[in-house]
Amino acid sequence: MNDILITNGRVIDPANRRDEIADVAIAKGKIARIGKVSGKARETIDAKGMIVCPGLIDIHVHCREPGHEEEETIATAASAAVAGGFTTILAMPNTHPPMDNETAVLYVLQRAAEANLARVLPAGCITKGREGKELAEMGMMVEAGAVAFTDDGDGVASATVMQRALQYAARLGVPLMQHCQDPELAGGVMNSGAVAVRLGLGGIAPAGEQIMLQRDLELVKRTVARYHVQHVSCAGSVEMIRAAKSAGLPVTAEASPHHLLLTDAACAEYDPNFKVNPPLRSAGDVEALRAGVADGTIDCLATDHAPHAKEEKELEFGLAPFGIISLECALGLYAKAMIDTGLLDWPGLIARMTVNPASVINRPLGRLVVGGPADVTIINPKMRWTVRVDTFRSRSRNCPFDGWELSARPVAAIVGGSIKFRL
Ligand code: DOR
């Protein structure tokens, strides 16, 4: 007998070009059958009118553990993830202490196993202590289970260090993920431009992102490492990534919900919930990012879920930390930016949240394969709902989308054949 039977849903699996009304049977943690399934199961989910797709994957999540468990833990991040329809998340290493050695990687994996919710995959630091000087023990971290490397929060400023990191990453077969920002051009607190001038706040120009990206692309040409651009924020970067891809470089990129939906005008009330790094940019940048996601220049969508304590986010704009959380409303936000605007259809959006991020981190996830892991998300594509941060499972509340009306929502998340979330 099957453990779970999901009946009559619109099964969308972009990796296998599937888009049809079908049943999905799950047994012993694996996909047992896709098609017309007769017989009984221990649990049957009627998915008429719903989308049934591979479990969603978010490759940019700050879990804050170890070090800032008052903001988030691996368990609360994983719980927020499944409530957002995500069955796999990539944990960023800017923890305290930073995740720059195999023991730290093993710790994250152990905490994730204890939480037993979403799959939590560790991204290790590129450099020891995220200081940008000396390479971290990348090989040992890969052996322990790290699937990517980044100093996220900071870009690697030294070209020599970055070049070495790319060479090691190539040998290890893992991607390097860069927070592209030249540190000398990072002095401000919001996008540079008319709004920053009017508010009397220091600006961060798009040039800082593009200069590091340009340098890295030159280095990527000279190695064979896979290179991933985190949270692309400006039109110039989209153009550079498009050109790099058409020249055949092994470059991938992600965009975050806030950069697809908000501009620097949102900072006009000095609300620190809109303070994020890279900063919210101009309407032209938003348009270019959306176009980049639509044409595949930007491969995938990733939240950069960055929890911060209430008391810190209540500081004045200049002093508050950078960061936005959105794991629990991301799907509806992406749908608003890309589907409601007619730029993508559901198979297109789901590809950018499943098989595409899985291939960035080179994991056999993000697809529905008979005999493969039963990670499945069920989405109501027509559910109108209002984002209420008070109901979030995350430990933090720094979400600028509170009160937004959205029109799509995950209603179930199944990880390895177990139902981890049901609305
Ligand atoms: O806004 C951000 N917050 N951007 C980052 O790159 C880091 C993150 C954090 O860790 O708070």
Short mmCIF file of all heavy atoms in Angstrom, two decimals, residues 99-103 105-106 109 122-128 134-150 164-176 363:
data_model
loop_
_atom_site.label_atom_id
_atom_site.label_comp_id
_atom_site.label_asym_id
_atom_site.label_seq_id
_atom_site.Cartn_x
_atom_site.Cartn_y
_atom_site.Cartn_z
N MET A 99 30.86 29.40 9.71
CA MET A 99 30.94 28.00 9.31
C MET A 99 32.12 27.85 8.34
O MET A 99 31.95 27.88 7.13
CB MET A 99 29.63 27.61 8.63
CG MET A 99 29.32 26.12 8.71
SD MET A 99 28.09 25.55 7.53
CE MET A 99 26.81 26.73 7.57
N ASP A 100 33.32 27.75 8.91
CA ASP A 100 34.52 27.70 8.05
C ASP A 100 35.35 26.45 8.29
O ASP A 100 36.53 26.42 7.92
CB ASP A 100 35.36 28.97 8.24
CG ASP A 100 35.93 29.09 9.66
OD1 ASP A 100 35.65 28.20 10.50
OD2 ASP A 100 36.67 30.05 9.91
N ASN A 101 34.77 25.45 8.92
CA ASN A 101 35.52 24.20 9.14
C ASN A 101 34.53 23.03 9.18
O ASN A 101 33.32 23.24 9.30
CB ASN A 101 36.33 24.27 10.43
CG ASN A 101 35.42 24.48 11.62
OD1 ASN A 101 34.72 23.58 12.05
ND2 ASN A 101 35.39 25.70 12.15
N GLU A 102 35.08 21.81 9.11
CA GLU A 102 34.18 20.66 8.97
C GLU A 102 33.33 20.43 10.20
O GLU A 102 32.20 19.95 10.11
CB GLU A 102 34.96 19.39 8.55
CG GLU A 102 35.74 18.71 9.62
CD GLU A 102 37.16 19.27 9.74
OE1 GLU A 102 37.39 20.46 9.40
OE2 GLU A 102 38.05 18.52 10.18
N THR A 103 33.84 20.80 11.39
CA THR A 103 33.04 20.59 12.61
C THR A 103 31.78 21.45 12.55
O THR A 103 30.68 21.01 12.93
CB THR A 103 33.86 20.95 13.86
OG1 THR A 103 35.13 20.35 13.73
CG2 THR A 103 33.19 20.46 15.12
N VAL A 105 30.27 22.47 9.88
CA VAL A 105 29.37 21.88 8.86
C VAL A 105 28.61 20.70 9.47
O VAL A 105 27.39 20.58 9.32
CB VAL A 105 30.20 21.43 7.62
CG1 VAL A 105 29.36 20.57 6.69
CG2 VAL A 105 30.75 22.64 6.88
N LEU A 106 29.35 19.86 10.20
CA LEU A 106 28.70 18.70 10.83
C LEU A 106 27.66 19.14 11.86
O LEU A 106 26.61 18.52 12.01
CB LEU A 106 29.76 17.79 11.48
CG LEU A 106 30.66 17.06 10.48
CD1 LEU A 106 31.82 16.36 11.19
CD2 LEU A 106 29.86 16.04 9.65
N LEU A 109 24.48 20.08 10.08
CA LEU A 109 23.79 18.88 9.61
C LEU A 109 23.12 18.13 10.76
O LEU A 109 22.01 17.62 10.62
CB LEU A 109 24.78 17.96 8.87
CG LEU A 109 25.22 18.48 7.50
CD1 LEU A 109 26.36 17.62 6.95
CD2 LEU A 109 24.04 18.48 6.51
N PRO A 122 24.54 22.66 4.04
CA PRO A 122 25.43 23.73 4.47
C PRO A 122 26.26 24.32 3.32
O PRO A 122 26.76 23.60 2.46
CB PRO A 122 26.36 23.05 5.47
CG PRO A 122 25.87 21.64 5.64
CD PRO A 122 25.04 21.32 4.44
N ALA A 123 26.37 25.65 3.34
CA ALA A 123 27.36 26.35 2.49
C ALA A 123 28.48 26.79 3.42
O ALA A 123 28.22 27.45 4.43
CB ALA A 123 26.72 27.56 1.81
N GLY A 124 29.69 26.40 3.10
CA GLY A 124 30.83 26.78 3.94
C GLY A 124 31.38 28.13 3.54
O GLY A 124 31.08 28.66 2.46
N CYS A 125 32.21 28.70 4.43
CA CYS A 125 32.88 29.97 4.10
C CYS A 125 33.95 29.73 3.04
O CYS A 125 34.61 28.68 3.04
CB CYS A 125 33.60 30.53 5.32
SG CYS A 125 32.53 31.06 6.64
N ILE A 126 34.18 30.73 2.22
CA ILE A 126 35.32 30.67 1.29
C ILE A 126 36.61 30.91 2.08
O ILE A 126 37.61 30.23 1.88
CB ILE A 126 35.17 31.72 0.16
CG1 ILE A 126 33.93 31.43 -0.69
CG2 ILE A 126 36.44 31.75 -0.71
CD1 ILE A 126 33.64 32.49 -1.75
N THR A 127 36.57 31.86 3.00
CA THR A 127 37.80 32.19 3.73
C THR A 127 37.62 32.01 5.24
O THR A 127 36.50 32.11 5.75
CB THR A 127 38.27 33.65 3.45
OG1 THR A 127 37.31 34.55 3.99
CG2 THR A 127 38.45 33.89 1.97
N LYS A 128 38.73 31.75 5.90
CA LYS A 128 38.70 31.54 7.36
C LYS A 128 38.14 32.77 8.05
O LYS A 128 38.59 33.90 7.79
CB LYS A 128 40.12 31.27 7.86
CG LYS A 128 40.59 29.90 7.51
CD LYS A 128 41.93 29.55 8.17
CE LYS A 128 42.32 28.14 7.74
NZ LYS A 128 43.75 27.88 7.84
N GLU A 134 42.60 34.20 4.03
CA GLU A 134 43.16 32.86 3.88
C GLU A 134 42.02 31.89 3.56
O GLU A 134 40.96 31.96 4.19
CB GLU A 134 43.77 32.46 5.23
CG GLU A 134 44.92 31.52 5.15
CD GLU A 134 45.36 31.15 6.58
OE1 GLU A 134 45.36 32.02 7.46
OE2 GLU A 134 45.65 29.96 6.77
N LEU A 135 42.24 30.99 2.62
CA LEU A 135 41.16 30.05 2.27
C LEU A 135 40.79 29.16 3.44
O LEU A 135 41.65 28.71 4.19
CB LEU A 135 41.59 29.15 1.10
CG LEU A 135 41.66 29.76 -0.29
CD1 LEU A 135 41.83 28.65 -1.32
CD2 LEU A 135 40.43 30.59 -0.61
N ALA A 136 39.49 28.92 3.60
CA ALA A 136 39.02 27.97 4.61
C ALA A 136 39.32 26.55 4.13
O ALA A 136 39.72 26.36 2.97
CB ALA A 136 37.53 28.18 4.83
N GLU A 137 39.10 25.57 5.00
CA GLU A 137 39.39 24.16 4.67
C GLU A 137 38.27 23.63 3.78
O GLU A 137 37.43 22.84 4.22
CB GLU A 137 39.49 23.33 5.95
CG GLU A 137 40.63 23.72 6.87
CD GLU A 137 41.99 23.31 6.32
OE1 GLU A 137 42.03 22.69 5.23
OE2 GLU A 137 42.99 23.62 6.96
N MET A 138 38.30 24.04 2.52
CA MET A 138 37.18 23.70 1.63
C MET A 138 37.04 22.19 1.42
O MET A 138 35.94 21.64 1.47
CB MET A 138 37.34 24.44 0.29
CG MET A 138 37.19 25.96 0.44
SD MET A 138 37.74 26.89 -1.02
CE MET A 138 36.61 26.35 -2.26
N GLY A 139 38.15 21.52 1.20
CA GLY A 139 38.11 20.07 0.92
C GLY A 139 37.48 19.31 2.08
O GLY A 139 36.62 18.44 1.89
N MET A 140 37.92 19.65 3.29
CA MET A 140 37.39 18.94 4.45
C MET A 140 35.91 19.27 4.66
O MET A 140 35.13 18.42 5.10
CB MET A 140 38.22 19.28 5.70
CG MET A 140 39.49 18.45 5.73
SD MET A 140 40.82 19.28 6.52
CE MET A 140 40.56 18.80 8.21
N MET A 141 35.55 20.48 4.35
CA MET A 141 34.12 20.83 4.49
C MET A 141 33.27 20.08 3.47
O MET A 141 32.15 19.65 3.78
CB MET A 141 33.93 22.35 4.36
CG MET A 141 34.29 23.09 5.64
SD MET A 141 33.71 24.79 5.61
CE MET A 141 35.04 25.60 4.77
N VAL A 142 33.78 19.90 2.26
CA VAL A 142 33.03 19.12 1.26
C VAL A 142 32.85 17.69 1.75
O VAL A 142 31.76 17.12 1.68
CB VAL A 142 33.72 19.16 -0.13
CG1 VAL A 142 33.12 18.13 -1.08
CG2 VAL A 142 33.60 20.55 -0.74
N GLU A 143 33.93 17.13 2.30
CA GLU A 143 33.82 15.76 2.83
C GLU A 143 32.77 15.68 3.94
O GLU A 143 32.05 14.70 4.06
CB GLU A 143 35.16 15.30 3.38
CG GLU A 143 35.94 14.53 2.34
CD GLU A 143 37.32 14.17 2.82
OE1 GLU A 143 37.47 13.77 3.99
OE2 GLU A 143 38.25 14.31 2.00
N ALA A 144 32.66 16.76 4.72
CA ALA A 144 31.68 16.76 5.83
C ALA A 144 30.27 17.00 5.33
O ALA A 144 29.31 16.76 6.06
CB ALA A 144 32.08 17.83 6.85
N GLY A 145 30.11 17.53 4.11
CA GLY A 145 28.76 17.72 3.58
C GLY A 145 28.44 19.10 3.05
O GLY A 145 27.30 19.37 2.68
N ALA A 146 29.43 20.01 3.00
CA ALA A 146 29.17 21.33 2.41
C ALA A 146 28.96 21.18 0.91
O ALA A 146 29.66 20.38 0.26
CB ALA A 146 30.33 22.28 2.68
N VAL A 147 28.01 21.90 0.35
CA VAL A 147 27.71 21.74 -1.08
C VAL A 147 28.05 22.99 -1.89
O VAL A 147 27.91 22.98 -3.12
CB VAL A 147 26.23 21.35 -1.31
CG1 VAL A 147 25.89 20.06 -0.57
CG2 VAL A 147 25.27 22.46 -0.91
N ALA A 148 28.48 24.07 -1.22
CA ALA A 148 28.84 25.31 -1.91
C ALA A 148 29.66 26.15 -0.94
O ALA A 148 29.75 25.83 0.25
CB ALA A 148 27.58 26.06 -2.33
N PHE A 149 30.27 27.21 -1.48
CA PHE A 149 31.06 28.10 -0.62
C PHE A 149 30.73 29.56 -0.91
O PHE A 149 30.52 29.93 -2.07
CB PHE A 149 32.56 27.85 -0.82
CG PHE A 149 32.96 26.51 -0.28
CD1 PHE A 149 33.04 25.42 -1.12
CD2 PHE A 149 33.16 26.33 1.07
CE1 PHE A 149 33.34 24.17 -0.63
CE2 PHE A 149 33.46 25.08 1.59
CZ PHE A 149 33.55 24.00 0.73
N THR A 150 30.70 30.35 0.15
CA THR A 150 30.45 31.78 0.02
C THR A 150 30.90 32.49 1.28
O THR A 150 30.88 31.89 2.36
CB THR A 150 28.94 32.06 -0.22
OG1 THR A 150 28.73 33.48 -0.24
CG2 THR A 150 28.06 31.44 0.86
N ARG A 164 42.36 31.70 -6.17
CA ARG A 164 42.70 30.43 -5.55
C ARG A 164 41.44 29.66 -5.17
O ARG A 164 41.34 28.44 -5.34
CB ARG A 164 43.55 30.68 -4.30
CG ARG A 164 44.90 30.02 -4.42
CD ARG A 164 45.75 30.28 -3.22
NE ARG A 164 46.77 31.27 -3.52
CZ ARG A 164 47.27 32.13 -2.66
NH1 ARG A 164 46.83 32.18 -1.43
NH2 ARG A 164 48.21 32.95 -3.03
N ALA A 165 40.48 30.39 -4.64
CA ALA A 165 39.22 29.74 -4.24
C ALA A 165 38.55 29.10 -5.45
O ALA A 165 38.03 27.98 -5.38
CB ALA A 165 38.29 30.76 -3.60
N LEU A 166 38.56 29.79 -6.58
CA LEU A 166 37.94 29.25 -7.80
C LEU A 166 38.68 27.98 -8.24
O LEU A 166 38.06 27.00 -8.67
CB LEU A 166 37.95 30.30 -8.91
CG LEU A 166 36.92 31.42 -8.77
CD1 LEU A 166 37.27 32.61 -9.66
CD2 LEU A 166 35.51 30.93 -9.11
N GLN A 167 40.01 28.00 -8.12
CA GLN A 167 40.77 26.81 -8.52
C GLN A 167 40.43 25.61 -7.64
O GLN A 167 40.22 24.51 -8.13
CB GLN A 167 42.28 27.11 -8.46
CG GLN A 167 42.73 27.98 -9.63
CD GLN A 167 44.06 28.69 -9.37
OE1 GLN A 167 44.55 28.76 -8.25
NE2 GLN A 167 44.63 29.26 -10.44
N TYR A 168 40.34 25.85 -6.34
CA TYR A 168 39.98 24.75 -5.43
C TYR A 168 38.56 24.28 -5.69
O TYR A 168 38.29 23.08 -5.71
CB TYR A 168 40.09 25.22 -3.97
CG TYR A 168 41.46 25.00 -3.40
CD1 TYR A 168 42.43 26.00 -3.45
CD2 TYR A 168 41.81 23.79 -2.82
CE1 TYR A 168 43.70 25.80 -2.94
CE2 TYR A 168 43.08 23.57 -2.30
CZ TYR A 168 44.01 24.58 -2.36
OH TYR A 168 45.26 24.37 -1.86
N ALA A 169 37.65 25.24 -5.86
CA ALA A 169 36.23 24.88 -6.08
C ALA A 169 36.10 24.03 -7.34
O ALA A 169 35.34 23.06 -7.37
CB ALA A 169 35.38 26.13 -6.18
N ALA A 170 36.87 24.38 -8.38
CA ALA A 170 36.82 23.61 -9.62
C ALA A 170 37.24 22.18 -9.35
O ALA A 170 36.62 21.23 -9.82
CB ALA A 170 37.74 24.25 -10.67
N ARG A 171 38.31 22.02 -8.58
CA ARG A 171 38.80 20.67 -8.29
C ARG A 171 37.81 19.88 -7.45
O ARG A 171 37.65 18.68 -7.60
CB ARG A 171 40.15 20.75 -7.60
CG ARG A 171 41.14 19.95 -8.42
CD ARG A 171 42.44 19.68 -7.76
NE ARG A 171 43.23 20.90 -7.59
CZ ARG A 171 44.11 21.04 -6.62
NH1 ARG A 171 44.28 20.09 -5.74
NH2 ARG A 171 44.82 22.14 -6.53
N LEU A 172 37.13 20.58 -6.56
CA LEU A 172 36.18 19.91 -5.66
C LEU A 172 34.82 19.71 -6.31
O LEU A 172 33.96 19.00 -5.78
CB LEU A 172 36.02 20.73 -4.37
CG LEU A 172 37.26 20.82 -3.48
CD1 LEU A 172 37.11 21.92 -2.44
CD2 LEU A 172 37.50 19.47 -2.79
N GLY A 173 34.60 20.39 -7.44
CA GLY A 173 33.32 20.25 -8.14
C GLY A 173 32.15 20.92 -7.44
O GLY A 173 31.01 20.49 -7.55
N VAL A 174 32.45 21.98 -6.68
CA VAL A 174 31.37 22.71 -5.99
C VAL A 174 31.34 24.16 -6.50
O VAL A 174 32.37 24.70 -6.92
CB VAL A 174 31.56 22.72 -4.46
CG1 VAL A 174 31.33 21.35 -3.88
CG2 VAL A 174 32.93 23.26 -4.09
N PRO A 175 30.18 24.81 -6.43
CA PRO A 175 30.12 26.20 -6.90
C PRO A 175 30.62 27.18 -5.84
O PRO A 175 30.48 26.94 -4.64
CB PRO A 175 28.63 26.41 -7.14
CG PRO A 175 27.95 25.47 -6.20
CD PRO A 175 28.86 24.28 -6.05
N LEU A 176 31.20 28.27 -6.31
CA LEU A 176 31.51 29.41 -5.43
C LEU A 176 30.41 30.42 -5.62
O LEU A 176 30.05 30.77 -6.74
CB LEU A 176 32.82 30.06 -5.84
CG LEU A 176 34.12 29.52 -5.29
CD1 LEU A 176 35.20 30.58 -5.42
CD2 LEU A 176 34.01 29.05 -3.86
N ARG A 363 22.79 19.01 -6.91
CA ARG A 363 22.14 17.97 -6.10
C ARG A 363 21.06 17.30 -6.93
O ARG A 363 20.38 17.97 -7.72
CB ARG A 363 21.44 18.57 -4.88
CG ARG A 363 22.32 19.21 -3.84
CD ARG A 363 23.14 18.21 -3.09
NE ARG A 363 24.50 18.25 -3.59
CZ ARG A 363 25.48 17.46 -3.19
NH1 ARG A 363 25.25 16.53 -2.31
NH2 ARG A 363 26.69 17.57 -3.67
#
